[in-house]
Amino acid sequence: AQSVTQPDIHITVSEGASLELRCNYSYGATPYLFWYVQSPGQGLQLLLKYFSGDTLVQGIKGFEAEFKRSQSSFNLRKPSVHWSDAAEYFCAVGPTGGGNKLTFGTGTQLKVEL
Amino acid sequence: DGGITQSPKYLFRKEGQNVTLSCEQNLNHDDMYWCRQEPGLGLRLIYYSQIVNDFQKGDIAEGYSVSREKKESFPLTVTSAQKNPTAFYLCASSIDKAGTYNEQFFGPGTRLTVL
């Protein structure tokens, strides 16, 4: 069965600092990988996704993520964090056989200090 | 504008009461989903539907029921059998194109609290 681990429950960074949110997955083959962001009391918005090809993917709001097969990781990065990035971030994995049943991680809450 | 709407935004349930959460989409999506979100547990799938009048149980379906009488609508009923329903409920939808992943679009959520 597929699974996702986000080892950091909370992360605090200063505005302007770089950010890396960790995500590790367990899946038998190369999965579809996603990062979503959720503002308080809101639904989820897709930041970026990886299906195949270039292992460094660019997303919205200046985010990027790198797929590393050897480490079963798909970490999310941003070179300079803005106060508006404070939110909860979810990593998710989907089956490469198609279908839309995603498995989500438990989320990482990002706090940005001014 | 196309999108997914959920109502109400906040809902309170008394012990032994059934409540229904609404989810409507005008994206012409085939697939619809209900997820439950709680701190530290991420999102867990309750039910999903790929076609009208058909739906499948997700990982935590006990105590919940759904219907899919129209393509646009996928209401979720939280029954009295669900002993711990306090959570944030998210509805999502996606197209159904075989052989690839189709992005899920999420509604704004309903927060359910047991009194």
Side-chain angles (χ1 to χ4, degrees), chain A residues 26-100:
Chain A
S26 174
Y27 188 72
T30 301
Y32 294 161
L33 294 162
F34 310 84
W35 276 99
Y36 285 85
V37 61
Q38 184 182 35
S39 298
Q42 300 297 315
L44 275 67
Q45 181 183 21
L46 182 66
L47 281 176
L48 49 78
K49 58 192 175 189
Y50 172 77
F51 288 171
S52 64
D54 193 347
T55 57
L56 184 64
V57 293
Q58 302 297 321
I60 62 171
K61 305 185 180 187
F63 286 92
E64 66 178 26
E66 186 172 12
F67 169 62
K68 293 186 177 180
R69 184 191 305 275
S70 62
Q71 299 177 17
S72 297
S73 69
F74 189 57
N75 294 350
L76 182 71
R77 302 195 294 248
K78 187 169 185 178
S80 177
V81 171
H82 188 262
W83 65 266
S84 61
D85 293 324
E88 189 158 20
Y89 292 79
F90 291 92
C91 183
V93 60
T96 50
N100 300 329

Side-chain angles (χ1 to χ4, degrees), chain B residues 68-81:
Chain B
R68 187 89 184 273
E69 297 178 1
K70 298 185 301 181
K71 185 176 183 178
E72 305 78 27
S73 178
F74 192 42
L76 173 74
T77 296
V78 184
T79 74
S80 57

Side-chain angles (χ1 to χ4, degrees), chain B residues 47-98:
Chain B
Y47 269 99
Y48 64 103
S49 169
Q50 294 177 294
I51 195 171
V52 172
N53 292 324
D54 189 40
F55 42 83
Q56 288 77 42
K57 293 182 178 180
D59 300 319
I60 55 165
E62 184 175 352
Y64 300 96
S65 66
V66 293
S67 63
R68 187 89 184 273
E69 297 178 1
K70 298 185 301 181
K71 185 176 183 178
E72 305 78 27
S73 178
F74 192 42
L76 173 74
T77 296
V78 184
T79 74
S80 57
Q82 173 50 244
K83 299 306 180 186
N84 186 24
T86 295
F88 191 55
Y89 290 85
L90 287 164
C91 180
S93 71
S94 65
I95 62 173
D96 192 341
K97 181 178 177 182

Side-chain angles (χ1 to χ4, degrees), chain A residues 32 34 38 43 90 100 102, chain B residues 31 33 37 94 101-102 104 107:
Chain A
Y32 294 161
F34 310 84
Q38 184 182 35
F90 291 92
N100 300 329
L102 288 184
Chain B
D31 297 354
Y33 313 80
Q37 183 182 11
S94 65
Y101 175 79
N102 302 295
Q104 292 180 342

